[in-house]
Amino acid sequence: MSSPVIFPFKSNIDLDRKSNRHLYLQLCDQMIGFIKSGKLAPSTKLPGSRKLSEDLNVHRKTVIAAYDELMSQGWIESIPARGTFVSQDLPIVNPKKLQNNDISNRTSETVGFPFKKRKHLFRKEIETMQAAFKIDDGVPDHRLAPIEDIAKTYRNITKKTHHRALLTYGDIYGNIELRKALVPYLNQTRGLKITIDNVLITRGSQMGIYLASQLLLNNQNVIITGNTNYMTADNTFTEAEGIIKRVSVDKQGMNTNEIEKICKKQIISAIYVTSHHHHPTTVTLSAERRMHLLQLSQQYNFAIIEDDYDYDFHYSNAPILPLASNDTHGNVIYIGGFTKIIAPALRIGYFIAPKEVVDEAARLRRILDRQGDTLLEQTLARMISNGDVQRHSSKVRRIYKTRRDLFCKLLQEKLGDFFDFEIPKGGMAVWVKLKKPYHWDLVITESRKQNLTFINDWKRYDNDNSGHNGFRIGFAKFNEEEIYNVIEILETVMKVLELKAV
Ligand SMILES: Cc1ncc(COP(=O)(O)O)c(C=O)c1O
């Protein structure tokens, strides 16, 4: 080991006392830089902590913390009775080149192997970046998410050493505490009668739809959906190689007599239903049709995939309980989650079904995602048990109701000559039909000129190409001021189109 300390630390180290980064980490960063650049060679003796702290005018503990950190990373080493030195074996990995090939001509488009491309998953790219306002098909206002509560609860959980166990591979059914918390939560709010064996945690409702379709639809099995229907669900069924048959949707929801007719002619495996508010038209499946559908499912042995994505958002009187609450014969796979109540990025949902189905879905989930985000799931479990989620859900329900009322009032007042719509009983969107002679293609093109874009292609709702001219417009994510702005732009757009039509 060489010994003299010749490196001028005092003039070379520059610590920013206003920075958010700890001083000891700044010191580490700079010393690592000197080591990497060769200014501090291996075996160089470093000044003692007292001397360096005096030179840099920092607390001695800062230097000790920096040395500890550098030592734990392997940049420096301590030799008893001799001092601290730059390590002889630096933790610098210099990977060897495979060959001296020139890859400079390769672009991000270069691909050297064939792979399966799925036409049904292709989506038209829609230019949305520059617009001041973006119309979606009904997403929550993520600005309202209780991020502080989530962070606080998460932090409290990670502080407890025994929770470290959550960091390893865990249960493929999802976090046990969350499954336990969901049992009373779903039984009380949705009238279900489940036990923990019926609960699989998923990453949002979409994973539930995917798992259900993979279990039910291989080999060209038939699934019935509404006409029109939630496009991503349709794509998921096509991906599972199911055959989609459609029945009409009217003010009572999906037409169950049409479903019965199909059942009389052929075997069907499943029905996909957004019973609370049909996606996209927002109508509620009537109690009578719910009972009819359940009776058909028992008679013809098919599964009902009940996607209850927005159950928590009902604005008038009490909502009708889900089909799953009346499922006496185990025909319903009930899917829901917290992405709409809290925020889309909080990817936690649930798949509720008879135990045998849950077991199989868990095995399938294992090869896709192994397990969920256990710490976040534990956080949510805590927030359900202490009532935070329920309180937040009531709060946003009230806010969205006010937004729905304002949006629909202005839509009627300012755009009633152009648009037909029913006030939705719940949810986060309005199903709007354009009166003749207008067309969404024109509205969308003109809106872009006015700094408003539609992030979805209107054709996604026209899955049998009937040209029904309906569009689902989300209102929930706009605050009051934004609602006024959006309606004003739409009004300008429609007036321009009106002039053009004359
Ligand atoms: C009808 C319907 N089902 C499921 C989903 C997917 O929800 P998640 O984000 O929980 O996967 C959506 C999302 O918009 C939806 O509209």
Side-chain angles (χ1 to χ4, degrees):
M1 287 273 169
S2 64
S3 40
V5 187
I6 43 166
F7 186 78
F9 285 95
K10 195 171 176 175
S11 53
N12 276 281
I13 301 260
D14 182 17
L15 301 175
D16 178 0
R17 281 155 215 276
K18 289 194 189 126
S19 159
N20 285 336
R21 193 154 171 82
H22 285 296
L23 286 178
Y24 86 94
L25 288 176
Q26 292 185 43
L27 183 53
C28 282
D29 295 342
Q30 293 181 34
M31 292 198 49
I32 291 171
F34 298 139
I35 296 171
K36 277 187 177 167
S37 68
K39 285 182 186 160
L40 279 174
S43 303
T44 305
K45 185 167 190 209
L46 298 172
S49 57
R50 188 185 309 276
K51 167 85 174 71
L52 189 56
S53 67
E54 282 164 12
D55 284 355
L56 302 179
N57 195 20
V58 293
H59 200 284
R60 190 170 164 212
K61 279 188 185 160
T62 305
V63 177
I64 293 173
Y67 276 11
D68 282 350
E69 180 64 31
L70 289 167
M71 227 167 301
S72 70
Q73 289 185 30
W75 295 104
I76 65 174
E77 56 196 331
S78 157
I79 299 180
R82 292 199 53 203
T84 309
F85 297 83
V86 175
S87 295
Q88 282 182 315
D89 288 325
L90 293 175
I92 299 177
V93 181
N94 282 324
K96 273 199 214 128
K97 266 196 161 183
L98 211 55
Q99 250 186 7
N100 270 340
N101 274 342
D102 179 14
I103 59 162
S104 54
N105 285 335
R106 204 188 72 198
T107 70
S108 60
E109 308 276 316
T110 312
V111 49
F113 48 85
F115 65 99
K116 184 170 164 182
K117 282 193 184 173
R118 293 151 163 89
K119 272 205 186 111
H120 56 274
L121 298 187
F122 179 80
R123 287 195 188 190
K124 199 169 124 190
E125 288 289 328
I126 297 191
E127 177 69 69
T128 58
M129 291 319 287
Q130 298 91 341
F133 298 101
K134 298 173 188 177
I135 289 190
D136 56 54
D137 67 352
V139 301
D141 186 347
H142 59 273
R143 295 168 297 190
L144 302 173
I147 191 79
E148 300 298 335
D149 288 345
I150 296 172
K152 207 169 94 199
T153 314
Y154 194 97
R155 181 81 198 99
N156 283 339
I157 286 169
T158 50
K159 267 190 211 152
K160 303 265 171 5
T161 340
H162 67 272
H163 282 135
R164 288 283 154 96
L166 294 171
L167 293 173
T168 186
Y169 285 114
D171 197 332
I172 59 169
Y173 292 81
N175 179 296
I176 186 84
E177 294 304 324
L178 180 56
R179 292 172 70 216
K180 277 189 202 157
L182 281 176
V183 171
Y185 173 78
L186 294 175
N187 286 347
Q188 280 155 25
T189 57
R190 274 103 168 133
L192 308 191
K193 284 164 210 74
I194 53 168
T195 72
I196 195 166
D197 290 338
N198 305 115
V199 183
L200 170 69
I201 307 297
T202 57
R203 284 204 195 260
S205 305
Q206 178 52 35
M207 185 187 259
I209 301 172
Y210 178 84
L211 293 173
S213 58
Q214 291 291 327
L215 296 188
L216 296 164
L217 298 184
N218 60 351
N219 223 359
Q220 313 270 295
N221 290 354
V222 174
I223 178 157
I224 298 181
T225 73
N227 188 12
T228 159
N229 190 40
Y230 175 48
M231 188 189 76
T232 309
D234 283 351
N235 287 346
T236 313
F237 306 143
T238 307
E239 174 59 26
E241 299 184 352
I243 302 287
I244 300 176
K245 291 219 170 260
R246 299 188 192 280
V247 296
S248 60
V249 178
D250 57 27
K251 291 191 172 175
Q252 314 271 312
M254 276 168 85
N255 186 323
T256 48
N257 288 334
E258 288 179 29
I259 295 174
E260 185 163 15
K261 265 194 201 148
I262 298 176
C263 291
K264 281 183 179 155
K265 283 202 215 122
Q266 66 181 120
I267 293 175
I268 67 153
S269 298
I271 306 268
Y272 169 78
V273 61
T274 40
S275 48
H276 194 46
H277 300 116
H278 171 251
H279 188 112
T281 68
T282 78
V283 293
T284 302
L285 186 68
S286 67
E288 199 182 310
R289 286 197 181 165
R290 284 170 194 241
M291 295 321 290
H292 190 196
L293 192 50
L294 281 167
Q295 175 245 310
L296 291 174
S297 70
Q298 289 161 26
Q299 189 178 343
Y300 294 101
N301 298 318
F302 60 76
I304 298 173
I305 304 173
E306 183 173 30
D307 175 2
D308 217 4
Y309 67 110
D310 69 353
Y311 179 81
D312 299 278
F313 302 130
H314 48 88
Y315 306 135
S316 15
N317 31 33
I320 309 183
L321 288 174
L323 288 143
S325 69
N326 254 289
D327 178 26
T328 46
H329 285 63
N331 289 86
V332 180
I333 296 177
Y334 182 74
I335 288 166
F338 296 90
T339 55
K340 301 287 189 262
I341 307 178
I342 298 181
L346 190 110
R347 305 295 311 155
I348 299 182
Y350 41 81
F351 173 105
I352 308 294
K355 181 179 184 313
E356 212 183 323
V357 180
V358 164
D359 289 344
E360 187 60 21
R363 289 190 280 265
L364 183 58
R365 188 231 151 98
R366 176 184 208 136
I367 61 165
L368 183 69
D369 185 34
R370 183 50 179 78
Q371 70 190 59
D373 183 337
T374 0
L375 271 172
L376 197 59
E377 289 174 10
Q378 181 93 7
T379 303
L380 192 67
R382 180 81 60 87
M383 292 179 69
I384 292 173
S385 305
N386 68 17
D388 281 349
V389 169
Q390 296 83 329
R391 273 190 293 280
H392 178 72
S393 164
S394 309
K395 179 180 136 190
V396 285
R397 179 164 54 240
R398 276 206 311 281
I399 295 174
Y400 293 162
K401 178 183 183 306
T402 312
R403 292 181 182 181
R404 176 206 63 171
D405 292 345
L406 178 65
F407 191 80
C408 290
K409 177 175 157 290
L410 294 176
L411 207 56
Q412 187 56 49
E413 277 172 21
K414 312 277 183 192
L415 290 149
D417 289 344
F418 309 104
F419 294 168
D420 262 337
F421 68 95
E422 301 267 332
I423 299 175
K425 290 198 190 78
M428 292 172 283
V430 188
W431 177 242
V432 178
K433 285 191 168 179
L434 268 179
K435 291 184 179 169
K436 281 181 184 155
Y438 308 105
H439 195 282
W440 284 110
D441 278 342
L442 294 175
V443 177
I444 290 166
T445 312
E446 195 56 41
S447 297
R448 242 176 244 150
K449 295 183 199 158
Q450 311 285 340
N451 228 353
L452 174 85
T453 54
F454 290 70
I455 66 167
N456 293 311
D457 181 6
W458 72 271
K459 290 193 194 76
R460 73 191 311 223
Y461 307 113
D462 190 21
N463 33 33
D464 71 339
N465 295 320
S466 65
H468 57 63
N469 228 4
F471 203 103
R472 189 171 150 101
I473 298 186
F475 58 80
K477 77 154 190 227
F478 295 126
N479 63 28
E480 191 175 312
E481 188 187 341
E482 291 162 341
I483 290 176
Y484 276 105
N485 286 326
V486 167
I487 296 283
E488 197 182 321
I489 296 178
L490 283 175
E491 201 185 351
T492 312
V493 166
M494 295 316 294
K495 295 220 161 118
V496 172
L497 294 182
E498 190 179 28
L499 281 177
K500 282 188 182 167
V502 177

